[in-house]
Amino acid sequence: MFSNLRRHQRRISGRKSTAELRDFGQYQVLFLAESEEMLLAQIREVPVAEYNTQRRRLAMGEAPRQQKHRLHRHSVRTIQALVDQHTVLTYCTAMISLACRQIT
């Protein structure tokens, strides 16, 4: 399936590169409409809860690529954020462990 998407992307864009498929998301949506009003009507048929679910899923799928990009472009800031995140998690784990000991 992905090879078909790449071939169609090359055909549509006229370019050899298919980086847009990687950069613009995990999947594509096809709407067939003859006017902007018809297109908006089709988009409005999508339930908000389903849209939010798929949006979160898409964000989770994009997270590793975004992290690699951040590491490449802003390595010091990204590593510092990871160290800070680890520090907070370690502190929270220690506090939970201490609270559990005090309860028992």
Side-chain angles (χ1 to χ4, degrees):
M1 179 178 147
F2 197 69
S3 62
N4 287 337
L5 284 174
R6 285 182 182 268
R7 188 181 71 233
H8 292 305
Q9 183 68 28
R10 285 187 189 105
R11 184 177 55 80
I12 290 167
S13 69
R15 289 191 243 150
K16 187 175 181 180
S17 172
T18 57
E20 294 85 10
L21 290 175
R22 182 194 67 226
D23 292 340
F24 292 129
Q26 306 272 326
Y27 53 89
Q28 295 180 354
V29 177
L30 175 64
F31 289 104
L32 299 175
E34 294 181 15
S35 68
E36 188 176 344
E37 291 80 23
M38 289 177 65
L39 177 62
L40 289 173
Q42 289 179 13
I43 291 173
R44 287 183 185 123
E45 288 178 10
V46 177
V48 174
E50 179 65 21
Y51 170 79
N52 288 333
T53 300
Q54 295 301 325
R55 185 72 186 113
R56 279 191 299 276
R57 194 169 152 205
L58 178 64
M60 287 174 49
E62 287 292 312
R65 185 191 64 77
Q66 291 171 350
Q67 183 69 7
K68 285 180 188 176
H69 177 80
R70 277 189 226 108
L71 275 170
H72 179 72
R73 297 288 178 198
H74 310 287
S75 32
V76 173
R77 189 181 336 156
T78 303
I79 291 171
Q80 186 60 50
L82 288 171
V83 168
D84 293 344
Q85 184 181 18
H86 179 265
T87 303
V88 168
L89 289 173
T90 304
Y91 176 76
C92 289
T93 303
M95 294 305 290
I96 290 171
S97 177
L98 181 64
C100 288
R101 284 186 205 149
Q102 289 177 352
I103 292 173
T104 55

